[in-house]
């Protein structure tokens, strides 16, 4: 098989993680090729809730709290630049985000966790009553015990974000290979060799950013990764007049007026089905927060698989010389820091001490 391309860095995976890294690497002046398997793969980036959110992150890994906050702090600049470069409005809004708690005990527990995380990261939050929530999410039930509100959080449109990142790669000398599953990844002298059905690419460095596809790619390099799928189902309603000024963790109104309802965490392996039982549970919870939703029609639903490490935090590591692993849940929230700092690390060819808490070694026990 002939060598198709020879690039500095090959990024495997064209979801939000790989595309953000490829975007950042290009800005760093690297000659890159991005490979994406396409519709046959699991693709969390096309099935997520779109929140840009630091609140609550780091519950199981303290260092994740300041990292997630940094990620959200740099989002606006990243988003503005992407929109200016591509002309695609990614619908970013960072006007705050409440996390509802179903009962007073859950609220107390959430506040305690946020206080602990705040000591680590400085993330500001407030506890809001239903009357306060009603100002930005009119129609909230007076029976809701309260919500923890982070003013810096918000949401974007994840499909438009992905489209903008890909569009940015179509200009200039980046190679974007769609429907190009990397069948084999091999270490060779001076770098790596990627084999797809279309041909072979040689690169000096490679980034494994293929979501759950990283499980197989890691094996190619002799590394077993501790990530697993975690299903989430999302319900979509008919379009309604604009009402909500901000998104919440489980209910948000999109720019086009539909409500997205979500929040299931299902440990069901690689099953991407939807179920009536979970649909009912998601709808019931949403209606308990916003009773007016009981008269709004559902029009469709889908499921997608989160890519989860045992502590829900990202993994950044160099798993073989010049082979970088980047994987996370929260690929929307971390898109800006992936395009910035993390792409910079990879362009430099080495992870700094700042990446140490996120290396695979933390799971050694
Ligand atoms: C229900 C749900 C809700 C979520 N809500 C949020 C949220 O509100 N905010 C947030 O920040 N995050 C959220 N997430 C998480 C977010 O969607 C993911 O963190 C993010 O999409 C992961 O992106 P990724 O690029 O790593 O993976 P993916 O989107 O899965 O992309 C992996 C890509 O790699 C490609 N690929 C796989 N194997 C190969 C191969 N061998 N060769 C070439 N290409 C390959 C695939 O084609 C795919 O496009 C949610 C996830 C789910 C499931």
């Amino acid at each position: 098989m002939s060598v198709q391309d020879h690039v500095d860095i090959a990024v495997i995976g064209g979801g939000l993680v790989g595309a953000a890294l490829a975007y950042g690497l290009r800005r760093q002046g690297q000659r890159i090729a991005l490979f994406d398997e396409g519709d046959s793969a699991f693709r969390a980036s096309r099935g997520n809730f779109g929140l840009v959110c630091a609140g609550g992150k780091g519950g199981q890994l303290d260092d994740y709290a300041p990292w997630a906050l940094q990620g959200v702090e740099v989002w606006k600049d990243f988003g503005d630049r992407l929109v200016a470069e591509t002309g695609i409005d990614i619908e970013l809004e960072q006007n705050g985000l409440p996390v509802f708690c179903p009962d007073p005990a859950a609220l107390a527990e959430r506040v305690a966790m946020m206080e602990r995380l705040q000591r680590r990261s400085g993330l500001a939050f407030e506890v809001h009553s239903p009357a306060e929530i009603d100002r930005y999410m009119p129609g909230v039930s007076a029976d809701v015990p309260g919500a923890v509100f982070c003013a810096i959080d918000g949401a974007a449109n994840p499909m438009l974000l992905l489209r903008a990142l890909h569009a940015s790669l179509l200009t200039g000398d980046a190679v974007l290979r769609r429907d190009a599953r990397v069948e084999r990844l091999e270490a060779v002298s001076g770098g790596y060799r990627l084999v797809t059905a279309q041909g072979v690419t040689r690169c000096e460095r490679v980034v494994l950013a293929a979501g759950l596809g990283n499980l197989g790619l890691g094996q190619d390099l002799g590394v077993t990764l501790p990530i697993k799928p975690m299903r989430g189902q999302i319900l979509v309603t008919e379009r309604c007049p604009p009402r909500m000024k901000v998104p919440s963790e489980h209910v948000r109104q999109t720019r086009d007026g539909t409500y997205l309802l979500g929040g299931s965490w299902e440990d069901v392996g690689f099953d991407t089905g939807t179920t009536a039982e979970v649909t009912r549970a998601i709808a019931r919870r949403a209606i308990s927060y916003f009773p007016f939703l009981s008269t709004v029609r559902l029009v469709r639903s889908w499921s997608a698989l989160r890519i989860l490490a045992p502590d829900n935090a990202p993994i950044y590591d160099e798993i073989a010389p010049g082979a970088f692993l980047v994987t996370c849940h929260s690929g929307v929230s971390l898109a800006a820091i992936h395009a910035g700092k993390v792409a910079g690390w990879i362009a430099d060819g080495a992870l700094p001490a700042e990446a140490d808490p996120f290396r695979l070694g933390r799971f050694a026990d």
Side-chain angles (χ1 to χ4, degrees), residues 11-20 34-53 57 64 75 97 154-156 158 162 166 177 179-184 194-196 208-217 220 230-234 248-249 252 262-265 302-308 326-335 338:
V11 179
I12 309 177
L16 284 170
V17 170
L34 177 72
F35 293 81
D36 191 52
E37 175 174 345
D39 285 336
S40 55
F42 298 110
R43 299 200 291 179
S45 301
R46 291 166 193 261
N48 68 70
F49 213 57
L51 302 181
V52 172
C53 144
K57 294 204 180 351
Y64 185 22
W75 229 105
L97 183 150
L162 191 60
H166 279 223
R177 295 218 180 280
D179 298 318
R181 175 182 153 80
V182 174
E183 312 280 357
R184 230 173 38 250
L194 282 64
V195 181
T196 70
L208 279 63
L212 291 166
N214 281 338
L215 287 165
L217 296 165
D220 284 358
M230 182 65 67
R231 187 170 74 183
Q233 296 185 43
I234 293 180
S248 70
E249 191 186 28
R252 63 172 290 207
S264 73
W265 285 66
W302 68 71
S303 83
L305 303 179
R306 298 178 181 85
I307 302 131
L308 222 56
V326 180
T327 184
C328 69
H329 176 54
S330 298
V332 185
S333 308
L334 296 172
H338 286 165

Side-chain angles (χ1 to χ4, degrees), residues 163-184:
R163 196 198 308 165
L165 289 168
H166 279 223
S168 77
L169 298 174
L170 292 173
T171 57
D173 62 353
V175 177
L176 177 53
R177 295 218 180 280
R178 294 192 172 120
D179 298 318
R181 175 182 153 80
V182 174
E183 312 280 357
R184 230 173 38 250

